[in-house]
């Protein structure tokens, strides 16, 4: 069975500092990996995705993530955070059967707090 | 292009009642999936529909059901509501050529 672990429940970062959110996954085949962000009371917005190719993927809002197969990790990074980045971040793994994505398995999320 | 639309946004129901939630996917998307989000369990996959057929199902009791119509719109139904069904229910749609899912704003269900 596939699973996703986000070891950090909360992370506090000063505005302007760099950020790294950790994600480890367990999946039998080549995984589809995603990072989503959720603001309070809102749905999920896709930040970036990985399936194959370059292991460093760029996303929206200045985020990037690196896929490391040997470590089963897909960590999210941002060189300089802004107060508006405060939100809940979810890592997810999924598969594709043709015609669209199958169900996603999500981590428990990391709550990002930005200090002024 | 309009995003995924879920109605209603908020709902309050009494234990034992049933509820139906609606989801309109992004135009051209034929895959629709549903998720339950609670503080304790996080985001959990309910089921996924493609071309009116349920392709995948999560580990939820039979009280949770869904369907998809020929225009790809989807509904989910929860019967005999329990207090523990209080949650944010999220719908997502996927384009045929891609792996990612695009989420709606969700329906906040409160069971009292």
């Amino acid at each position: 069975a596939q699973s996703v672990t986000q070891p950090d429940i909360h992370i506090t970062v000063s505005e302007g500092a760099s950020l790294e959110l950790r994600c480890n996954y367990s999946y039998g085949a080549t995984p589809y990996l995603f990072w989503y962000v959720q603001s309070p009371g809102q749905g999920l917005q896709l930040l970036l995705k990985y399936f194959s190719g370059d292991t460093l993927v760029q996303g929206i809002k200045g985020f990037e993530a690196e896929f490391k197969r040997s470590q089963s990790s897909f960590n999210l990074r941002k060189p300089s955070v802004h107060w508006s980045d405060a939100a809940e971040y979810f890592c997810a793994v999924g598969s594709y059967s043709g015609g669209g994505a199958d169900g996603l398995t999500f981590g428990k999320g990391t709550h990002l707090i930005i200090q002024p | 292009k309009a995003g995924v639309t879920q109605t209603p946004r908020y709902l309050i129901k009494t234990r034992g009642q049933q509820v139906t939630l609606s989801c309109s996917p992004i135009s051209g998307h034929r895959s629709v999936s549903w998720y339950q989000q609670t503080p304790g369990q996080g985001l959990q996959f309910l089921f996924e529909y493609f071309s009116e057929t349920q392709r995948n199902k999560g580990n939820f009791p039979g009280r949770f059901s869904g369907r998809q119509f020929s225009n790809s719109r989807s509904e989910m139904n929860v019967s005999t509501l329990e207090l523990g069904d209080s949650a944010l229910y999220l719908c997502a749609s996927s384009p045929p050529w891609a792996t990612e899912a695009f989420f709606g704003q969700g329906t906040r269900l409160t069971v009292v």
Side-chain angles (χ1 to χ4, degrees), chain A residues 24-78:
Chain A
N24 293 98
Y25 68 91
S26 173
Y27 192 74
T30 302
Y32 292 81
L33 292 162
F34 308 87
W35 275 98
Y36 285 87
V37 62
Q38 185 180 36
S39 297
Q42 301 298 312
L44 278 71
Q45 182 182 23
L46 178 67
L47 288 175
L48 46 77
K49 69 171 183 177
Y50 172 81
F51 171 56
S52 64
D54 193 350
T55 56
L56 185 64
V57 293
Q58 302 297 319
I60 62 172
K61 303 185 179 187
F63 286 93
E64 66 178 27
E66 185 171 14
F67 171 66
K68 292 185 178 180
R69 186 185 298 276
S70 61
Q71 297 177 21
S72 297
S73 69
F74 188 56
N75 294 349
L76 182 71
R77 302 194 293 244
K78 186 169 185 178

